[in-house]
Amino acid sequence: MSGPPPKGWQAIQDEVLRRIHARDWPPGHVIPGEVDLAREFGCARATVNRALRALAEAGLLERRRKAGTRVALHPVSRATVEIPVIRREIEDRGHAYGYSLLERSLAPPPAGPRATLGPGPALHLIALHSADGLPYVLEERWISLSTVPAAHDAPFDRISANEWLLAHAPFTHGDIAFSAEAASDSQAELLSTAPGTPVFAITRVTWDHTRAITVVRLIYAPGYSIHSVIGGMSADPRAAS
């Protein structure tokens, strides 16, 4: 290494990544321990630990107790999927955004969402997002009022739950599933398509640690496409999450 040693964990992460890509540390190679790296980089061991942990979470390193840290033999590239603000997604595509709240009620959720949210009443919302006046995505959502009590009085007739929750209910992690399905009669009517038309669906759950915030199903009008990023961390490790 030439020049001054890196100090921050991101800089250490960049240098470790450089050595992996340059094959200074080839696949399967056991890298120096945290104490040795901290001495080399002139930083605290905790700083090195954070950098290595991030690379392990990205699938580039394998960390085992008592066996040390080695470069992964088969690095796993992970797709990064963000939760978009639907309004911005539509506007970024050059379309005029429209939003309509179709239904709002307080009720016990059905079996699927109930397994996540619990048996008590939850806020149920059905809304339609449009682009240039045409249906874009149908949103059906259940919100846990025990986790987000402020949602009870939120103005969802004026702002979508998608946008409101991202601003008012920070989440720690989530689960997401993608599927293709045939539009039901009611979905087809709202999406201006024929019943049975293939549509793209996303089911997502977001959590605040151990408490579920919301369960949402998004049914997109025909023609929708999704774009993701493979988190190989080749350009800037800090961009992967």
Side-chain angles (χ1 to χ4, degrees):
M1 240 179 92
S2 60
K7 298 294 184 183
W9 70 271
Q10 295 100 332
I12 293 171
Q13 187 176 246
D14 288 346
E15 174 57 21
V16 171
L17 185 64
R18 186 197 67 76
R19 296 181 187 186
I20 292 172
H21 285 177
R23 292 300 192 263
D24 295 339
W25 293 345
H29 178 78
V30 178
I31 72 173
E34 291 180 3
V35 172
D36 294 331
L37 289 174
R39 185 180 303 115
E40 176 186 348
F41 295 140
C43 66
R45 179 177 176 178
T47 305
V48 172
N49 178 272
R50 184 175 181 185
L52 299 185
R53 188 171 68 247
L55 289 168
E57 289 171 354
L60 297 174
L61 294 177
E62 296 175 353
R63 309 192 77 193
R64 295 182 182 175
R65 246 183 122 177
K66 298 185 179 180
T69 300
R70 68 177 63 237
V71 179
L73 285 171
H74 305 288
V76 177
S77 291
R78 299 178 181 177
T80 299
V81 179
E82 297 180 348
I83 296 180
V85 174
I86 296 173
R87 173 182 59 79
R88 293 178 186 164
E89 180 179 88
I90 290 173
E91 291 174 346
D92 287 347
R93 295 186 181 204
H95 304 296
Y97 173 70
Y99 166 76
S100 178
L101 180 64
L102 306 177
E103 182 180 324
R104 177 176 186 155
S105 61
L106 191 63
R114 184 170 65 245
T116 300
L117 299 174
L123 185 62
H124 183 221
L125 304 169
I126 299 178
L128 183 66
H129 304 259
S130 62
D132 292 336
L134 299 176
Y136 183 82
V137 61
L138 178 64
E139 173 185 354
E140 181 174 9
R141 181 183 298 270
W142 294 88
I143 302 175
S144 169
L145 294 179
S146 62
T147 306
V148 193
H152 185 277
D153 299 317
F156 293 129
D157 56 330
R158 301 194 302 273
I159 183 172
S160 72
N162 162 251
E163 192 162 355
W164 187 91
L165 285 170
L166 286 173
H168 294 88
F171 64 95
T172 56
H173 62 288
D175 308 307
I176 189 167
F178 304 98
S179 63
E181 56 187 59
S184 67
D185 290 350
S186 60
Q187 292 168 350
E189 182 178 0
L190 292 169
L191 294 174
S192 298
T193 190
T197 299
V199 290
F200 179 65
I202 294 177
T203 302
R204 186 172 64 234
V205 182
T206 51
W207 301 79
D208 179 2
H209 298 283
T210 60
R211 302 188 303 165
I213 295 172
T214 184
V215 177
V216 62
R217 274 181 57 76
L218 301 170
I219 309 296
Y220 287 85
Y224 176 79
S225 62
I226 191 171
H227 176 263
S228 185
V229 176
I230 301 299
M233 302 179 72
S234 59
D236 182 357
R238 287 159 285 184
S241 60

